[in-house]
Amino acid sequence: MTDILNLVFRTFASPAELRASPPAPVPRSSALLLGENSLSRSVLLLAAVTAASHPGLRVVFFTRTLIRSLPASLQKLVPSPESLKVLFCFLKKIQFCYPRTMEELLQQVAALHESPSTAPPSLIIVDGLEGFLLGSGGGSHRELHPGGQSCAAHLSALLCDTAAFLSRVLEQRSSGAGPCRVIASFQSEVDAGPASREPSASDPILDILDRYFQVRCTLDPDGGYEAAAAGLQQVWHVYLSGRGITEASCSKDCGDGPAVAREWKLLLFPNGLMEFKVV
């Protein structure tokens, strides 16, 4: 399976943008999506439907928030009853799960090891890691219950181990639907700015997550006047960084070096449509 985030960005880019920009190097790694909750969830839903649109691919989507509607960019894809049926077929390949606590999430992820009779998922999505790591009081990472950092490490390790296990199952079945990848979203207390493209030591939870997720995708709001000048609702910068990007960007003769960030822009229109543009 080609890198899902790269595929999402190109799927929801303008035709002119696709003609002007060749595909970027493909990071075949699990990814951590950092940014505002509702925007991250929309990107995760685009990723889920994009993956499910490919033959043989299934998706598991874990979230604490009931999904009541689809992003406008997906709704635009169904202008006719026929296309609505196609979208419905894609949605049937996405298993939405609603664990309420960290314990329930761990149990449901672990259960993916125990269902060999069904087609294994090729993509595991977790929406809002911070919601599972924070106590019922919410608010900040300082309110994590004792052992919160070890919970972050435990969950991350379980997700990566589950993806590796399912990748082996998919390979054994020669289904062409592997390998299995993980995309999880997380809203950190650390301000999202240019410095956030590099691993941050100021957020202990984010520090731990970076050890397990090879690609970081940071959604950073644009602070200029581009949105108003172009008649847009918002403009966001999308930074892809991490060791997974480095590995994808280097040829076999390339030596070790710092992570190379790939940048896109996310344009949000007043009608809710989203469009990606490579920078």
Side-chain angles (χ1 to χ4, degrees):
M1 181 179 69
T2 203
D3 167 59
I4 187 62
L5 284 177
N6 209 16
L7 185 58
V8 168
F9 299 160
R10 294 184 61 80
T11 298
F12 293 94
S14 67
E17 177 69 22
L18 293 179
R19 289 192 298 268
S21 61
V26 176
R28 299 178 178 273
S29 306
S30 296
L32 181 66
L33 182 61
L34 300 180
E36 190 271 331
N37 277 333
S38 61
L39 182 60
S40 294
R41 185 174 302 114
S42 293
V43 174
L44 292 179
L45 286 169
L46 295 183
V49 174
T50 300
S53 68
H54 287 67
L57 268 62
R58 292 183 60 251
V59 180
V60 176
F61 194 115
F62 296 101
T63 179
R64 298 176 72 215
T65 304
L66 184 64
I67 304 298
R68 298 184 181 276
S69 63
L70 296 175
S73 293
L74 287 175
Q75 298 177 28
K76 184 183 177 182
L77 298 178
V78 289
S80 66
E82 291 74 17
S83 55
L84 181 60
K85 292 179 182 178
V86 173
L87 178 60
F88 181 70
C89 290
F90 296 161
L91 292 173
K92 287 174 63 177
K93 296 169 63 181
I94 305 172
Q95 179 184 355
F96 289 98
C97 303
Y98 297 99
R100 295 167 297 177
T101 64
M102 170 65 77
E103 290 71 22
E104 290 184 2
L105 177 60
L106 291 171
Q107 292 172 2
Q108 293 181 22
V109 172
L112 295 176
H113 290 249
E114 304 168 1
S115 54
S117 59
T118 60
S122 298
L123 179 62
I124 301 171
I125 293 176
V126 183
D127 171 37
L129 285 175
E130 73 284 348
F132 295 103
L133 295 170
L134 288 170
S136 58
S140 74
H141 298 147
R142 291 186 298 273
E143 297 177 14
L144 280 167
H145 58 76
Q149 294 183 37
S150 64
C151 285
H154 183 190
L155 175 58
S156 299
L158 179 61
L159 287 168
C160 293
D161 178 71
T162 300
F165 169 79
L166 294 176
S167 294
R168 292 192 295 269
V169 174
L170 291 167
E171 182 179 359
Q172 292 169 1
R173 297 187 181 186
S174 301
S175 63
C180 178
R181 298 303 184 206
V182 178
I183 303 178
S185 67
F186 177 74
Q187 185 167 21
S188 172
E189 286 189 307
V190 179
D191 290 336
S196 66
R197 302 178 213 175
E198 300 298 331
S200 171
S202 59
D203 186 330
I205 298 298
L206 183 55
D207 229 11
I208 291 171
L209 297 176
D210 273 330
R211 300 175 193 170
Y212 293 91
F213 292 88
Q214 293 180 302
V215 172
R216 181 194 282 199
C217 179
T218 304
L219 304 176
D220 184 20
D222 182 83
Y225 300 97
E226 180 179 354
L232 301 170
Q233 181 176 348
Q234 288 179 317
V235 173
W236 291 72
H237 295 273
V238 182
Y239 301 111
L240 288 171
S241 61
R243 61 188 184 277
I245 297 293
T246 303
E247 294 166 1
S249 302
C250 291
S251 66
K252 61 181 179 181
D253 297 324
C254 180
D256 292 335
V260 179
R262 297 287 173 176
E263 183 177 353
W264 294 72
K265 280 187 179 180
L266 170 54
L267 312 180
L268 297 183
F269 293 86
N271 59 1
L273 293 179
M274 303 167 65
E275 185 176 294
F276 293 89
K277 180 179 180 181
V278 73
V279 177

